[in-house]
């Protein structure tokens, strides 16, 4: 068995079903092993597309995504998508090929400082020097993705390392990772003897110990984690353990005494597999929740206790509750500038209990570096104890009634055209029709004016039904991301709403969609310009239009060239017909929707 084969076996044993990528010379040993595996490779037409597809696969499924490229230009093409996932804390396993490790510092064909680039946009970037180190690096990466899902983890695999024979043919790699990969890092000291026994059980002569020589040393006859590795998995909090326990008690006491609480939830609830726990907690306490952009629909938006998005372009309910609550419990959210935009952060900071697995983003008065799922367990145990029966936790009916007394209708101008034959169509009218027609589908948006209307007009019955990149916002996310969602949910309909500028950055992925015959419906909001840039030029910088007009192709005919059914829309009747045609099951369809120039409300 060589390194590549062992790595594939580990991924199979970890339950990986799909990998998105594009082959190249230096990564071919990995592809050779992948060819005979149970993992399906999805061939995207560009590495950026592979990263975005893996990102959306993760966001919509709640599991990590996996993307792969070769060295040099292949790895650099992944950067946009990996940076997008990093900014939004999406767990990805990113694998790149590289030239021989022995030549890593030489100026040869396609050599580039891959790890120096990726270490800035990943949680950790590995470059193993041997096959056995590569195995351990993958185990460590999988532990991080399962136990500490804070973003992408990168492994750069040199060609000679992939081809290296490692003599593990008879070793059960699944048993190895199950035995110590996911639990050994919980309470390191108490598990050292167990860990040593596990290693010994694979080989009585301890020949396998050198698999872990980068991370473990023998001390006093026992296998001991080296300092750097130990610190990596023991960095539970900026504070010591007693401070964390103290903060947990303070947080629970503060929450119990609250009469106007608000829970702000982010994607940490998803990665912690805690959506059901959150629903249970809300149903038992009747505490209202608000969501970030990325956790939209984590509880059905038709539920009265879900106040909607808080912050910039948030709902009147969520923003009122945020400003007027007496305790804000933040679970698994970063509290970005968009989330806290409804009022001055200084006015609410003293109310905030911030729980996040990533201690670098904690911003509350009481900060707890902890998985949001584990914190919910503590709260649920508390409310199910005698304390709850003694009404130390209460039902917040009066507070909810107060919030709803400040309800204001969301008014989006343009969703109803005044004239029957308004030509070209107004963007909000077209987008509203699409959202209503495909209600219940997975929706993907991109970057631009259409994203604002899509976010405002969509209502989600569960998490993951509206996906877009909020933190990085690259143009070109929506189309390749739809590939990941469709692969993760093959029996569901996927709808992309994107701009004419967005799609031309990644339009080659139409070939991928057609090759796999994915049930993706693509609606291009076509105003022949970079609309939001034009608006900024005119309204913020007081300048004439400059470099924003686009001479577009006929996107419908272009789709036909790729083998995808399509239609060009210029009127209400055209749009109704196109929507009917797009409902053709299990096949892709593209609609080029011609719209007029129109402004969106810009952030203040």
């Amino acid at each position: 068995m060589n390194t590549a084969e062992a790595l594939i076996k580990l991924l199979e044993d970890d339950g990986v079903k799909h990998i998105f990528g594009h082959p190249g010379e230096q990564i071919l040993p990995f592809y050779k092993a992948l060819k005979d595996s149970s993992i399906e490779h999805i061939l995207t037409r560009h590495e950026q597309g592979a990263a975005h597809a893996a990102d959306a696969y993760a966001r919509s499924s709640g599991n990590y995504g996996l993307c792969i490229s070769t060295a040099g230009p292949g790895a650099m093409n992944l950067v946009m998508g990996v940076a997008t996932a990093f900014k939004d804390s999406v767990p990805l396993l990113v694998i790149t090929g590289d030239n021989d490790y022995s030549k890593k510092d030489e100026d040869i064909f396609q050599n580039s400082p891959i790890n120096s680039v990726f270490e800035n946009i990943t949680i950790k970037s590995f470059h193993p020097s041997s096959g056995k180190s590569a195995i351990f690096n993958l185990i460590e990466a999988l532990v991080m993705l399962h136990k500490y899902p804070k973003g992408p983890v990168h492994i750069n695999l040199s060609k000679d390392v992939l081809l290296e024979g490692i003599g593990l043919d008879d070793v059960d790699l699944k048993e190895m990772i199950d035995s110590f990969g996911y639990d050994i890092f919980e309470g390191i000291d108490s598990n050292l003897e167990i860990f040593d026994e596990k290693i010994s059980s694979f080989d009585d002569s301890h020949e396998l110990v050198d698999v872990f020589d980068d991370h473990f040393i023998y001390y006093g006859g026992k296998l001991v984690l080296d300092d750097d590795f130990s610190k990596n998995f023991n960095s539970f909090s900026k504070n010591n353990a007693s401070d964390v326990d103290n903060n947990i008690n303070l947080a629970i006491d503060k929450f119990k005494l609250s009469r106007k609480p608000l829970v702000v939830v982010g994607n940490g609830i998803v990665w912690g597999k805690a959506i059901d726990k959150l629903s249970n907690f809300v149903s038992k306490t009747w505490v209202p929740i608000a969501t970030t952009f990325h956790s939209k629909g984590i509880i059905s938006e038709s539920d009265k206790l879900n106040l909607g998005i808080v912050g910039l372009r948030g709902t009147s309910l969520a923003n009122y509750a945020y400003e007027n609550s007496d305790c804000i419990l933040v679970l698994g959210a970063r509290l970005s500038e968009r989330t806290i935009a409804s009022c001055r952060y200084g006015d609410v900071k003293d109310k905030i209990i911030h729980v996040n697995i990533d201690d670098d983003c904690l911003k509350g008065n009481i900060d707890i570096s902890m998985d949001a799922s584990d914190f919910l367990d503590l709260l649920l145990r508390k409310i199910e104890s005698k304390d709850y029966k003694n009404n130390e936790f209460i039902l917040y009916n009066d507070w909810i009634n107060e919030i709803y007394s400040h309800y204001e209708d969301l008014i989006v101008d343009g969703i109803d055209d005044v004239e029957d034959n308004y030509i070209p169509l107004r963007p909000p009218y077209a987008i509203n029709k699409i959202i209503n027609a495909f209600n219940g589908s997975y929706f993907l948006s991109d970057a631009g004016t259409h994203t604002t209307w899509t976010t405002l007009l969509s209502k989600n019955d569960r998490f993951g039904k509206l996906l877009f990149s909020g933190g990085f916002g690259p143009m070109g996310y929506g189309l390749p991301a739809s590939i990941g969602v469709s692969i993760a949910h093959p029996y569901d309909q996927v709808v992309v709403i994107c701009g004419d500028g967005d799609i031309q950055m990644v339009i080659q992925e139409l070939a991928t969609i057609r090759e796999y015959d994915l049930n993706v419906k693509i609606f291009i909001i076509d105003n022949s310009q970079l609309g939001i840039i034009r608006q900024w030029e005119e309204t913020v910088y007081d300048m004439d239009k400059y470099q924003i007009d686009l001479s577009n192709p006929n996107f419908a005919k272009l789709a036909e060239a790729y083998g995808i059914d399509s239609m060009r829309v210029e009127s209400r009747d055209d749009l109704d017909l196109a929507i009917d045609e797009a409902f053709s099951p299990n096949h892709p369809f593209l609609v080029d929707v011609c719209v007029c120039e129109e402004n969106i409300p810009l952030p203040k």
Side-chain angles (χ1 to χ4, degrees):
M1 179 183 291
N2 64 24
T3 304
E5 292 165 340
L7 296 176
I8 289 294
K9 192 172 190 306
L10 275 172
L11 292 173
E12 286 181 314
D13 290 343
D14 197 48
V16 171
K17 303 298 183 187
H18 300 97
I19 182 170
F20 302 87
H22 199 287
E25 177 189 347
Q26 294 87 346
I27 197 64
L28 280 181
F30 190 93
Y31 271 81
K32 184 178 180 181
L34 181 63
K35 180 177 180 291
D36 297 322
S37 77
S38 62
I39 301 172
E40 182 182 7
H41 179 267
I42 307 299
L43 177 64
T44 60
R45 294 329 191 243
H46 191 282
E47 291 87 353
Q48 179 182 341
H52 287 325
D55 169 301
Y57 183 96
R59 294 187 202 230
S60 66
S61 68
N63 298 313
Y64 69 88
L66 206 167
C67 58
I68 185 170
S69 79
T70 193
M76 294 304 114
N77 282 342
L78 280 178
V79 167
M80 176 68 80
V82 176
T84 299
F86 179 72
K87 192 72 172 175
D88 287 343
S89 302
V90 178
L92 295 186
L93 179 57
V94 182
I95 295 175
T96 56
D98 206 350
N99 287 309
D100 287 355
Y101 192 88
S102 60
K103 299 178 181 179
K104 64 186 178 68
D105 297 321
E106 297 181 21
D107 185 15
I108 61 176
F109 179 65
Q110 291 193 338
N111 249 14
S112 61
I114 295 175
N115 290 87
S116 296
V117 173
F118 278 82
E119 66 185 11
N120 296 294
I121 53 172
T122 58
I123 302 305
K124 192 163 185 178
S125 179
F126 300 97
H127 192 186
S129 59
S130 69
K132 292 176 181 179
S133 291
I135 291 171
F136 194 91
N137 288 160
L138 179 57
I139 291 174
E140 185 178 344
L142 294 174
V143 171
M144 296 173 76
L145 290 166
H146 285 288
K147 300 290 286 185
Y148 307 92
K150 299 188 289 187
V153 182
H154 169 236
I155 304 179
N156 188 32
L157 297 168
S158 297
K159 184 167 60 175
D160 54 348
V161 170
L162 285 169
L163 291 170
E164 181 184 329
I166 53 174
L168 297 182
D169 300 69
D170 298 326
V171 174
D172 189 333
L173 294 174
K174 183 180 188 303
E175 183 182 347
M176 185 186 292
I177 194 168
D178 286 348
S179 295
F180 58 79
Y182 295 155
D183 58 12
I184 188 62
F185 307 108
E186 298 282 346
I188 293 293
D189 294 336
S190 63
N191 280 291
L192 286 175
E193 288 190 28
I194 298 172
F195 187 83
D196 195 28
E197 290 171 5
K198 294 297 183 184
I199 295 292
S200 301
S201 70
F202 291 113
D203 191 316
D204 291 337
S205 64
H206 280 199
E207 290 177 358
L208 285 177
V209 170
D210 62 351
V211 173
F212 313 102
D213 56 6
D214 286 348
H215 305 288
F216 294 85
I217 58 174
Y218 267 106
Y219 180 76
K222 293 183 180 180
L223 202 62
V224 182
L225 281 164
D226 74 13
D227 287 342
D228 289 340
F229 193 65
S230 180
K231 288 174 184 175
N232 181 39
F233 281 96
N234 279 314
S235 58
F236 180 71
S237 173
K238 294 176 180 177
N239 306 311
N240 61 40
S242 61
D243 289 335
V244 172
D245 290 340
N246 185 54
N247 281 358
I248 290 172
N249 291 330
L250 286 173
I252 292 176
D253 288 343
K254 183 177 178 67
F255 192 81
K256 283 197 302 183
L257 294 172
S258 171
R259 293 300 175 262
K260 294 184 177 183
L262 175 69
V263 178
V264 175
V265 295
N267 256 3
I269 296 292
V270 179
W271 307 129
K273 308 291 191 294
I275 293 177
D276 289 341
K277 291 180 187 178
L278 177 68
S279 298
N280 187 22
F281 173 68
V282 170
S283 67
K284 287 177 182 287
T285 62
W286 264 57
V287 62
I289 73 163
T291 70
T292 64
F293 276 81
H294 289 300
S295 58
K296 183 177 168 66
I298 203 163
I299 287 177
S300 173
E301 291 187 283
S302 62
D303 190 320
K304 183 177 182 179
L305 294 174
N306 185 349
L307 307 179
I309 293 173
V310 64
L312 184 67
R313 301 195 181 99
T315 67
S316 59
L317 298 175
N319 285 340
Y320 177 85
Y322 179 74
E323 294 173 30
N324 293 277
S325 66
D326 58 13
C327 178
I328 303 171
L329 174 60
V330 181
L331 297 176
R334 288 191 300 117
L335 283 187
S336 71
E337 74 281 358
R338 290 204 239 183
T339 301
I340 61 177
S342 66
C343 64
R344 283 195 326 113
Y345 174 62
D347 294 340
V348 296
K349 180 179 178 180
D350 288 345
K351 308 175 186 178
I352 294 176
I353 302 166
H354 198 170
V355 181
N356 200 297
I357 199 170
D358 186 354
D359 54 14
D360 289 333
C361 72
L362 294 173
K363 299 176 182 176
N365 183 39
I366 301 175
D367 289 336
I368 301 171
S369 179
M370 186 178 191
D371 191 325
S373 177
D374 293 338
F375 189 80
L376 276 172
D377 283 336
L378 294 175
L379 280 180
L380 284 167
R381 283 200 294 270
K382 195 73 174 176
I383 64 175
E384 289 166 355
S385 70
K386 63 179 182 179
D387 290 340
Y388 181 62
K389 295 181 177 67
N390 291 336
N391 292 322
E392 289 186 356
F393 287 96
I394 64 171
L395 297 177
Y396 304 106
N397 291 311
D398 291 343
W399 169 226
I400 293 167
N401 290 335
E402 178 186 337
I403 294 170
Y404 272 87
S405 70
H406 291 81
Y407 172 78
E408 296 177 11
D409 280 325
L410 173 66
I411 298 175
V412 180
D413 184 42
I415 60 174
D416 294 309
D417 283 335
V418 177
E419 302 173 20
D420 288 341
N421 294 310
Y422 200 108
I423 300 176
L425 295 171
R426 297 183 69 180
Y429 172 82
I431 291 170
N432 194 50
K433 286 280 289 187
I434 295 163
I435 289 172
N436 288 336
F438 291 92
N439 182 40
S441 300
Y442 284 92
F443 283 90
L444 292 111
S445 192
D446 218 296
T449 54
H450 61 278
T451 301
T452 297
W453 284 307
T454 302
T455 305
L456 290 174
L457 293 169
S458 65
K459 292 292 184 183
N460 304 106
D461 58 349
R462 59 189 174 94
F463 169 76
K465 286 303 188 77
L466 174 62
L467 301 174
F468 59 97
S469 170
F472 208 52
M475 295 177 69
Y477 176 81
L479 187 67
S482 72
I483 296 169
V485 177
S486 191
I487 294 295
H489 304 278
Y491 303 109
D492 291 299
Q493 193 153 243
V494 180
V495 178
V496 182
I497 299 176
C498 60
D500 48 344
D502 299 316
I503 196 169
Q504 292 187 85
M505 294 195 172
V506 290
I507 201 162
Q508 69 278 353
E509 299 308 335
L510 288 176
T512 308
I513 290 171
R514 180 64 190 91
E515 178 180 346
Y516 295 94
D517 201 22
L518 302 178
N519 187 17
V520 176
K521 316 304 179 184
I522 305 145
F523 289 85
I524 303 171
I525 306 304
D526 184 356
N527 59 6
S528 296
Q529 66 176 214
L530 304 174
I532 201 165
I533 305 302
R534 186 267 310 159
Q535 186 179 349
W536 277 96
E537 286 180 351
E538 293 178 346
T539 62
V540 177
Y541 292 97
D542 192 26
M543 60 184 284
D544 294 333
K545 293 180 184 179
Y546 180 66
Q547 294 295 298
I548 53 88
D549 291 321
L550 302 175
S551 297
N552 289 331
N554 185 315
F555 290 110
K557 290 184 177 180
L558 192 58
E560 290 176 10
Y562 277 103
I564 294 175
D565 292 339
S566 62
M567 184 172 173
R568 186 174 173 88
V569 164
E570 296 180 334
S571 68
R572 282 185 170 192
D573 291 342
D574 286 348
L575 182 59
D576 290 340
L577 180 59
I579 288 172
D580 288 341
E581 291 288 330
F583 269 107
S584 175
N586 304 321
H587 296 291
F589 196 90
L590 182 144
V591 183
D592 184 5
V593 186
C594 299
V595 297
C596 64
E597 177 182 298
E598 188 154 1
N599 288 348
I600 58 166
L602 285 175
K604 297 293 189 279

